[in-house]
Amino acid sequence: MKIHKFDTRVQHLKYQVLREIAKEAWNDSLLENLHNIPKRILPNDHPTMRCCIYKERAILTERMQIAMGGDKSNPNIIEVIDIACDECPMSGYEITDLCRGCLAHRCEESCKKGAITFDEHMKAHIDKSKCVNCGACAKVCPYTAITNRKRPCETACKVKAIHAGANGAAEIDDEKCISCGACVYQCPFGAISDKSYILEVIDLIKKSCGNTAYKVYAIVAPSIAGQFSYAKSGQVLSGLKELGFDAIMEAALGADMVAYEESKEVAETDSFVTSSCCPAFVKYVEKQFPQLKEHISHNMSPMAALAKYVKEKDPSCKIVFIGPCTAKKMEIQKDSVRPYVDSVITFEELQALFDSRNIEISDLEETVISDASFFGRIFACSGGLTEAVAQGIKEHGFTEFEYKPVTCSGIEACRLALLKAKKGVLNGNFIEGMACEGGCISGAGCLTHAEKNVKAVNVHAVTAKKLTITESVQDLK
């Protein structure tokens, strides 16, 4: 496995742990060989990332715990590895070398807490024990010499769910966290990670006894088209067959189902509707704008809608969703979704599964699946759902309805739209909310996060054989 299949070395290290855990699980030897895995990944006695090899291996042990499902007492699927989170400077306002020791002392005058003092060279200093991080000093400094330093995880978290704990390590406020995984991808030390259900998926496949005891279905997100760049999409699907999945379905078909129903919902409402596809966005509305919950579309997400359809046809089957999203691991805990989706893994975890069985997908023949329409497949990109709902409104014949969508890429854009909706000044009747900027193609569980992924998804979308959403949905009847 080469690092270039991922964006960062942190992702590669996470992958190595997942791969080794999976190897042992396939062989029923995980418990007896568990203690050997850190040395297998870090065989030399010289540290490469930390102060000593012992700390590196200790952190690997913590990563292994998360790879095996994490802390069962913690309901959040995002966890912090305390001992890995010790290198970031504390957040807050600091005086930089740009300070000229000017005579005005505007920074000192603006500070209501008396936190700013000057040394013998007239350079300013901030007393952290008094500073409340209000930023008043930074606003008045004529040299912009005062900066607000933030940890990468805090900067990444747009819902302000991360702060430094008493020991200096990051802590997650579960009351605010929406499990989007932005902090997971942005932490440069890999000290924040999403729990993995990779062992659960291996167990489902093994206990199916070659899909004779029950069938194991894989529902694959459309954003897969922008991943696994070293192979073709059809080869990735063939790899799933090699892993032991009996059938593979496009989550884009579920997207067609949702677009078909959601477009009716939008056209028939007297107010406005927000999308229900992104679980992190839905959770954000529920936690930060509870008064707007009634406006969330009553439709399930594409994953849940398609899984429900499959389970109704084959109640004994097991369903695994494979996609870019950490928040999907949270979504399947909901009472309305739990009966239909048995487990979730990300594209990162899928790569680890392939390599744990030595499956070189680039050598496989292609498996061709065309369950969905163009409109279902473009759900992976920001604006895709908006376009699909417009198409659904057209296909339903709502010719008199004026569709006014508000497309939100990223939580900050979602927040602005929801604030307007809360105040009754939203100029729109449909909010497409995507927690990740750019849409699902930027999910925390992606192998890569590049602009070319958008092009790959669009190329995949135009190959769809179903020309309309109606045609796609009618085939299910």
Side-chain angles (χ1 to χ4, degrees):
M1 182 62 199
K2 296 180 180 178
I3 295 177
H4 70 256
K5 291 181 181 178
F6 300 97
D7 284 339
T8 70
R9 291 180 178 274
V10 169
Q11 287 177 284
H12 186 254
L13 183 61
K14 179 180 178 182
Y15 149 81
Q16 288 178 296
V17 172
L18 289 165
R19 181 195 62 198
E20 296 305 313
I21 291 287
K23 278 182 181 179
E24 300 296 345
W26 288 116
N27 296 327
D28 294 319
S29 56
L30 180 57
L31 291 181
E32 61 187 272
N33 291 328
L34 197 59
H35 65 285
N36 294 326
I37 293 178
K39 286 188 177 181
R40 195 184 304 165
I41 296 174
L42 296 172
N44 300 317
D45 291 333
H46 302 291
T48 59
M49 299 168 284
R50 302 282 179 168
C51 59
C52 66
I53 191 63
Y54 305 106
K55 183 168 185 177
E56 288 190 9
R57 288 174 181 164
I59 293 173
L60 273 183
T61 300
E62 294 295 320
R63 296 190 193 283
M64 288 162 54
Q65 293 296 324
I66 295 178
M68 294 187 291
D71 181 1
K72 299 294 190 288
S73 66
N74 180 4
N76 200 337
I77 58 98
I78 308 295
E79 290 192 7
V80 176
I81 304 173
D82 288 354
I83 60 172
C85 181
D86 63 355
E87 302 293 340
C88 287
M90 294 298 291
S91 298
Y93 284 88
E94 291 187 357
I95 311 292
T96 70
D97 292 339
L98 293 176
C99 178
R100 307 308 300 160
C102 65
L103 298 178
H105 286 193
R106 289 191 178 94
C107 56
E108 181 183 32
E109 295 298 328
S110 69
C111 182
K112 305 298 184 183
K113 301 297 180 179
I116 296 182
T117 58
F118 295 84
D119 60 22
E120 65 273 19
H121 303 293
M122 297 303 293
K123 294 297 180 70
H125 297 275
I126 297 177
D127 184 341
K128 293 291 186 179
S129 66
K130 296 179 180 179
C131 179
V132 293
N133 292 315
C134 67
C137 57
K139 291 178 182 178
V140 299
C141 177
Y143 293 103
T144 62
I146 305 176
T147 184
N148 185 16
R149 187 193 299 275
K150 285 189 177 181
R151 291 181 170 190
C153 57
E154 291 182 5
T155 301
C157 183
K158 304 306 181 183
V159 297
K160 297 180 170 42
I162 295 182
H163 59 273
N167 64 351
E171 286 186 356
I172 298 174
D173 185 344
D174 292 341
E175 295 301 314
K176 294 181 179 179
C177 180
I178 57 175
S179 302
C180 66
C183 56
V184 174
Y185 180 67
Q186 290 298 335
C187 177
F189 284 92
I192 308 176
S193 185
D194 53 310
K195 294 176 180 176
S196 176
Y197 300 142
I198 197 168
L199 293 182
E200 195 172 82
V201 172
I202 291 172
D203 193 53
L204 288 173
I205 293 173
K206 289 171 69 174
K207 287 182 177 176
S208 74
C209 301
N211 291 292
T212 58
Y214 52 79
K215 293 182 178 180
V216 185
Y217 288 77
I219 293 181
V220 184
S223 51
I224 197 170
Q227 303 294 304
F228 304 94
S229 57
Y230 62 96
K232 298 177 181 178
S233 294
Q235 292 176 314
V236 180
L237 302 183
S238 297
L240 290 171
K241 293 275 192 177
E242 291 288 316
L243 279 173
F245 288 96
D246 181 76
I248 305 161
M249 302 188 75
E250 291 188 85
L253 175 56
D256 280 328
M257 297 166 68
V258 170
Y260 188 81
E261 296 298 330
E262 203 157 82
S263 56
K264 286 195 297 184
E265 188 178 8
V266 171
E268 293 171 352
T269 188
D270 294 327
S271 182
F272 69 92
V273 175
T274 81
S275 60
S276 58
C277 300
C278 172
F281 169 72
V282 171
K283 186 60 68 176
Y284 180 63
V285 176
E286 292 173 345
K287 289 187 173 185
Q288 299 294 330
F289 296 88
Q291 62 273 70
L292 300 181
K293 284 170 59 175
E294 64 186 59
H295 294 280
I296 300 173
S297 171
H298 294 88
N299 287 282
M300 290 178 152
S301 69
M303 170 193 76
L306 182 55
K308 183 175 184 290
Y309 169 81
V310 174
K311 283 274 180 130
E312 288 172 350
K313 296 290 184 181
D314 185 0
S316 68
C317 77
K318 304 297 181 183
I319 294 178
V320 177
F321 176 77
I322 303 170
C325 183
T326 55
K328 286 294 183 186
K329 297 177 181 181
M330 172 192 68
E331 183 185 356
I332 64 170
Q333 297 175 16
K334 297 173 68 172
D335 292 339
S336 58
V337 179
R338 189 182 299 115
Y340 309 116
V341 185
D342 295 279
S343 197
V344 168
I345 56 173
T346 63
F347 295 140
E348 287 180 328
E349 292 161 328
L350 179 57
Q351 181 66 72
L353 277 179
F354 284 149
D355 293 337
S356 71
R357 299 304 299 269
N358 296 315
I359 298 172
E360 185 50 65
I361 58 174
S362 59
D363 293 337
L364 301 177
E365 296 292 325
E366 286 195 74
T367 295
V368 178
I369 297 176
S370 189
D371 294 329
S373 75
F374 165 86
F375 301 98
R377 287 180 174 181
I378 61 174
F379 263 54
C381 302
S382 177
L385 170 56
T386 296
E387 188 174 343
V389 170
Q391 176 67 18
I393 290 171
K394 178 181 176 182
E395 292 182 24
H396 283 302
F398 292 108
T399 55
E400 302 299 318
F401 177 72
E402 183 183 5
Y403 178 47
K404 296 190 292 183
V406 179
T407 302
C408 304
S409 176
I411 282 297
E412 290 179 316
C414 293
R415 178 177 177 273
L416 181 59
L418 292 169
L419 281 172
K420 290 180 178 179
K422 179 181 175 181
K423 294 178 180 179
V425 295
L426 179 73
N427 183 26
N429 48 26
F430 178 68
I431 298 176
E432 177 199 302
M434 293 284 190
C436 297
E437 292 190 16
C440 303
I441 55 166
S442 301
C446 285
L447 302 179
T448 60
H449 303 70
E451 189 64 33
K452 63 181 177 61
N453 293 350
V454 178
K455 182 179 179 181
V457 169
N458 288 331
V459 168
H460 176 62
V462 298
T463 65
K465 295 181 180 179
K466 307 292 175 58
L467 300 179
T468 65
I469 295 172
T470 303
E471 180 185 354
S472 178
V473 173
Q474 284 181 340
D475 283 352
L476 296 173
K477 299 177 181 179

